[in-house]
Amino acid sequence: MMKIKYTTIFIDRDGTIGGNGHFKSLHDFRLFPYTVNAIKRLKANGMQVFGLSNQTHIEDGKMNYYDFFNSLLSIGFDDAFICPHSENTNCNCRKPKQGLIEQAHAKYDFDNSQSIIIGDRYSSDMQLALDCKILGIHVSTGKSELNSPLNNKDITEGVIKVKNLEAAVDYIVA
């Protein structure tokens, strides 16, 4: 079996690179100790690494878009794709809708079959991965979604379950 050469990695913020899966302000948000090194490892292996985040608190004025964007770049992401809208706005960019991936395609040349979405939520991150035919890697560090139909299986078609971002990177670069 031929191993896929991954070129593009999208990584969720809350619960995936730090925090507990619930919103934390930029001041209160804490990265997991392995996050910066994990991003560096992906980039050292020739991959583009992008932040991918829903941030309702931008629309409601509790966070500035550019401050949030720059906070992601400052930890090593090459770029970030952020939905600033609340669920009620009915935009096309709030995960699991495909707008953020469409924005990334408009800016960068990559193939979904050579991409990965790493995140802690089945209802948004993994659903987006499945809908875009991108490999999803679910980390168990963020919000627990016990009622998700995907939660009861170790591997489903298109989704791999791992402990954390560090284990996801181990899988990708192995």
Side-chain angles (χ1 to χ4, degrees), residues 6-22:
Y6 293 106
T7 61
T8 309
I9 313 298
F10 295 94
I11 305 175
D12 172 58
R13 176 190 183 242
D14 297 310
T16 305
I17 65 169
N20 63 2
H22 296 275

Side-chain angles (χ1 to χ4, degrees), residues 95-114:
K95 298 182 292 181
K97 292 181 182 172
Q98 297 179 29
L100 295 178
I101 300 300
E102 292 165 2
Q103 289 174 29
H105 274 294
K107 211 168 167 184
Y108 297 97
D109 183 27
F110 65 94
D111 188 328
N112 286 9
S113 69
Q114 294 179 302

Side-chain angles (χ1 to χ4, degrees), residues 86-98:
S86 71
E87 293 175 45
N88 300 332
T89 300
N90 198 25
C91 62
N92 78 332
C93 58
R94 186 169 178 82
K95 298 182 292 181
K97 292 181 182 172
Q98 297 179 29

Side-chain angles (χ1 to χ4, degrees), residues 49-93:
V49 185
F50 301 136
L52 191 69
S53 189
N54 288 342
Q55 288 299 325
T56 299
H57 299 285
I58 294 172
E59 183 176 86
D60 66 19
K62 293 178 185 160
M63 185 185 304
N64 177 281
Y65 178 91
Y66 296 101
D67 290 344
F68 184 79
F69 178 85
N70 289 327
S71 76
L72 294 176
L73 295 188
S74 74
I75 60 168
F77 286 108
D78 294 310
D79 203 344
F81 298 92
I82 303 158
C83 172
H85 306 111
S86 71
E87 293 175 45
N88 300 332
T89 300
N90 198 25
C91 62
N92 78 332
C93 58

Side-chain angles (χ1 to χ4, degrees), residues 99-131:
L100 295 178
I101 300 300
E102 292 165 2
Q103 289 174 29
H105 274 294
K107 211 168 167 184
Y108 297 97
D109 183 27
F110 65 94
D111 188 328
N112 286 9
S113 69
Q114 294 179 302
S115 302
I116 295 173
I117 294 175
I118 304 171
D120 69 317
R121 306 225 23 212
Y122 290 108
S123 60
S124 57
D125 304 311
M126 295 306 101
Q127 191 60 58
L128 175 61
L130 291 169
D131 291 347

